[in-house]
Amino acid sequence: MLDRKLIRKDTDRVRRGIESKRVDFDLDGFLAMDAAMRNLIQESEKLKAEKNEASLEVSRLKKEKQDASDILARMKKTSERIKEVDVELKTAVERLEAAELSIPNIPHESVPVGKGPQDNPVVSTWGDPGTGVAKPLFHWEIGEKLGILDMAAGAAVTGRGFVVLRGDGALLSRALVNLFLDIHRRQGYEELAVPYVANRDSMTGTGQLPKMEDDMYHCVKDDLFLVPTAEVPITNVYKDSVLEGEALPIKCTAYSPCFRREAGSYGQDTRGLIRVHQFDKVEMVKFTRPDDSYGELETLLGDACEVLRILEIPHRVIELCSGDLSFSAAKCYDIETWSPGVEKWLEVSSCSNFEDFQARRARIRFRREKGGKPEFVHTLNGSGLALPRVIATILELNQTPTGKVRVPKALVPYMGGREYLEA
RNA sequence: GGAGAGGUGGCCGAGAGGCUGAAGGCAACCGCCUGCUAAGCGGUUGUAGGGGUAAUACUCUACCGAGGGUUCGAAUCCCUCCCUCUCCGCCA
């Protein structure tokens, strides 16, 4: 959510932001609604001031045992009028608030303007994306051969887009989660274990709602949503709070399964582990002072990249251009790993600064000093990392000519000392 | 799921239709006082929104878990919902 005052005063900047994100939003209509609402506020408050004054007068007259029926009769009318105006006002506020939730965050000035993924500049690359295998297999072929990936079972249990990992596959997944969490703990993040369903307010707080409702799994009876990322529960841990300035930055990490309906995605890039409806991920979230958030974004990105360096996985960092930036983000880096089988760069992490966009929605504030005015914090989050694509990359990258898969060194202790996955 | 008890400012806690944004206490801050510390005395201290201003000042409105209702007037009465605690049931 943006500051309404900013929208009023700096309309052009907001307009440019919306356009550069290629979002369709009627800003002029919004401003008209806003002006109309403020007129109603003024009318309502004027009437209420009148009522309050009369109320005192009535109270005084009654104490002096005088007749107040004139005022009472007049105020009955005023009260009715207040009700009418307030009904109008309530509708106006509701419409405005609903519209407000659909205004995207403004890209940071450093964000390159562009239309889509093809305009995302590469920021850096690490390692040599190559493999010793002449004809690399796809990860789903490797996985099925090793008996660690069972796509058919996933489809049987639930349906397309759900997978079952077996044996060492399940172990690999568990090992990765543990390794990731251990790394982030060392990097200074507090580990949390969080709920995997979240209520509507939380989903709105982090910006998934209202826009992405169709992409969520929804428990209708309780109006709860399966979390699409641990970002939702972690960020909302501090919903409605005022933090001490000295406590910032607050850094948290948590594992969670992530549930995404991916409504409307089909065909390309959906085979194997590339795009599934349920996947595991370790997430990092930071709550920072506004002045520090861009520095913190860089270290967050570094923290995520470190995981890949530890896993010896070649990767590159790209910066999302304005047109590819998500609804809530002001700036975002994606980290991609090269998978020689599918011959694609796979997004395994997204590190974003939301500035005060989420904080405003979720009402997360801090005081610079004791007794100071509460200000909105900046929130950031990044995957560290999403599992399925990391698994896909490990399988494809570390496959050997003999059909085995080498386990990255750092992961070996987490795999019961196993150095290779084999059939 | 059933039965009870609750939810009031940074915290504790009163208030049970009318000068109550809310007594009292604690805490914090600012003075004064005391040789230092402690004590004591006086004062200040919520959030959000509107108007206003260069910014203050000033001013209005709302807020006693949330939303409705009754009333000229609601923290106080009525309804619905949420949350916390205790007991029972159910599941692990």
Side-chain angles (χ1 to χ4, degrees), chain A residues 126-197:
Chain A
W126 185 90
D128 176 23
T131 173
V133 182
K135 279 188 192 163
L137 298 174
F138 295 117
H139 64 269
W140 56 88
E141 295 172 332
I142 302 166
E144 299 277 357
K145 272 190 181 168
L146 294 178
I148 61 173
L149 175 64
D150 192 340
M151 304 290 292
V157 173
T158 310
R160 211 211 73 86
F162 291 84
V163 302
V164 169
L165 298 174
R166 314 186 78 118
D168 287 346
L171 175 60
L172 174 63
S173 172
R174 181 153 59 89
L176 285 167
V177 169
N178 285 338
L179 172 68
F180 293 175
L181 287 171
D182 284 349
I183 293 171
H184 297 321
R185 288 182 81 122
R186 210 184 58 229
Q187 289 165 338
Y189 293 79
E190 182 194 5
E191 181 181 346
L192 307 179
V194 293
Y196 303 146
V197 287

Side-chain angles (χ1 to χ4, degrees), chain A residues 139 149 163 165 172-173 176 180 256 258 271-282 337 339 346-348 385-396:
Chain A
H139 64 269
L149 175 64
V163 302
L165 298 174
L172 174 63
S173 172
L176 285 167
F180 293 175
S256 88
C258 303
R271 287 206 65 182
L273 293 172
I274 307 291
R275 191 175 291 273
V276 285
H277 292 309
Q278 180 193 320
F279 61 93
D280 293 307
K281 179 161 63 61
V282 170
T337 57
S339 285
L346 301 181
E347 179 195 329
V348 295
L385 310 155
L387 283 255
R389 292 173 187 171
V390 170
I391 292 174
T393 295
I394 288 176
L395 295 184
E396 293 187 4

Side-chain angles (χ1 to χ4, degrees), chain A residues 74-249:
Chain A
R74 208 174 68 232
M75 281 308 111
K76 198 171 174 79
K77 288 223 173 71
T78 306
S79 279
E80 277 159 17
R81 179 70 192 135
I82 289 173
K83 263 179 201 164
E84 285 166 23
V85 174
D86 277 354
V87 167
E88 269 182 78
L89 178 61
K90 199 186 159 201
T91 331
V93 168
E94 277 167 4
R95 280 180 57 210
L96 195 72
E97 282 174 352
E100 187 173 41
L101 289 175
S102 298
I103 304 175
N105 201 357
I106 303 172
H108 186 252
E109 55 188 7
S110 68
V111 170
V113 176
K115 293 187 174 170
Q118 68 282 0
D119 298 322
N120 296 338
V122 175
V123 175
S124 64
T125 41
W126 185 90
D128 176 23
T131 173
V133 182
K135 279 188 192 163
L137 298 174
F138 295 117
H139 64 269
W140 56 88
E141 295 172 332
I142 302 166
E144 299 277 357
K145 272 190 181 168
L146 294 178
I148 61 173
L149 175 64
D150 192 340
M151 304 290 292
V157 173
T158 310
R160 211 211 73 86
F162 291 84
V163 302
V164 169
L165 298 174
R166 314 186 78 118
D168 287 346
L171 175 60
L172 174 63
S173 172
R174 181 153 59 89
L176 285 167
V177 169
N178 285 338
L179 172 68
F180 293 175
L181 287 171
D182 284 349
I183 293 171
H184 297 321
R185 288 182 81 122
R186 210 184 58 229
Q187 289 165 338
Y189 293 79
E190 182 194 5
E191 181 181 346
L192 307 179
V194 293
Y196 303 146
V197 287
N199 61 32
R200 193 168 278 276
D201 188 47
S202 294
M203 297 296 288
T204 307
T206 30
Q208 281 75 19
L209 292 181
K211 202 188 158 216
M212 306 284 277
E213 182 149 4
D214 281 349
D215 286 301
M216 308 299 160
Y217 288 98
H218 183 207
C219 310
V220 178
K221 269 194 179 171
D222 302 297
D223 198 24
L224 296 174
F225 296 84
L226 301 197
V227 299
T229 157
E231 160 195 347
V232 177
I234 303 174
T235 307
N236 282 289
V237 159
Y238 291 104
K239 182 165 73 180
D240 285 311
S241 40
V242 181
L243 305 165
E244 293 298 331
E246 308 91 75
L248 301 178

